[in-house]
C-alpha cells in the first residue's frame, strides 16, 4: 500500500516561489506514475503536473512555464517547484501515485485512481 506525505506548503507573496515535496513509501518511485493535483474552495480538483516513469512530464496550461515537476528516485521523493506564484495558485496541493498503466501510460484520469497524500496548503497573497 502506497503512502504519500507532502510538505513544503505555506504562505507566500505574489511572484514568490515554493517547493513542495512528497515522500513515498514503501515502493520505489522509479516504477510509479506520480503527479500533483490541487483544489481550492468552490473549485473542482485540477491536475497540475505529472511525471511518468521515464521522466516525461505534463502540465496544466495554467502552470506551464512557472511550475516544474521532478523526482529523486534515490530519495523516493517527488517535487513541485513553483515560481511566479499568483493568488489563483492558492489551494491544497495533493500528491498522487499509481503503478503505470501498461496501455495508456500515465494519464491524469488513471493517476486520480491511485493513492493520495493528505495535502499541503499553499496560500498566495
Amino acid at each position: 500500500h502506497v503512502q504519500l506525505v507532502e510538505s513544503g506548503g505555506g504562505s507566500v507573496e505574489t511572484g514568490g516561489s515554493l517547493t513542495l515535496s512528497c515522500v513515498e513509501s514503501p515502493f520505489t518511485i522509479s516504477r510509479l506514475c506520480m503527479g500533483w493535483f490541487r483544489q481550492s474552495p468552490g473549485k473542482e480538483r485540477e491536475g497540475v503536473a505529472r511525471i511518468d516513469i521515464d521522466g516525461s512530464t505534463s502540465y496544466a496550461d495554467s502552470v506551464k512555464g512557472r511550475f516544474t515537476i521532478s523526482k529523486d528516485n534515490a530519495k523516493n521523493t517527488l517535487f513541485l517547484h513553483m515560481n511566479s506564484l499568483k493568488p489563483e495558485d492558492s489551494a491544497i496541493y495533493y500528491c498522487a501515485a499509481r503503478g503505470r498503466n501498461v496501455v495508456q501510460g500515465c494519464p491524469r484520469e488513471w493517476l486520480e485512481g491511485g493513492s493520495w497524500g493528505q495535502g499541503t496548503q499553499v496560500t498566495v497573497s
Side-chain angles (χ1 to χ4, degrees), residues 11 19 23 31 39 42 44 47 49 76 84-85 103 105 107-108 112 115 119 124:
S11 297
T19 294
V23 179
R31 297 181 180 274
Q39 189 166 23
E44 291 188 358
N76 258 22
S84 303
L85 283 162
V103 176
R108 177 181 57 82
E112 284 184 317
S115 299
V124 185

Side-chain angles (χ1 to χ4, degrees), residues 48 72 88 101-102 111 124:
V48 176
D72 185 332
E88 51 264 43
N101 185 299
V102 175
L111 187 56
V124 185

Side-chain angles (χ1 to χ4, degrees), residues 64-124:
K64 280 181 181 177
R66 301 188 298 121
F67 290 11
T68 302
I69 188 171
S70 65
K71 61 179 181 173
D72 185 332
N73 288 337
K75 296 182 178 180
N76 258 22
T77 303
L78 178 73
F79 300 100
L80 185 66
H81 308 278
M82 304 185 294
N83 297 317
S84 303
L85 283 162
K86 306 174 182 180
E88 51 264 43
D89 294 318
S90 297
I92 299 175
Y93 283 71
Y94 299 91
C95 170
R98 191 172 187 179
R100 191 176 190 271
N101 185 299
V102 175
V103 176
Q104 300 175 340
C106 185
R108 177 181 57 82
E109 298 79 7
W110 172 257
L111 187 56
E112 284 184 317
S115 299
W116 292 77
Q118 82 290 348
T120 185
Q121 177 72 50
V122 171
T123 303
V124 185

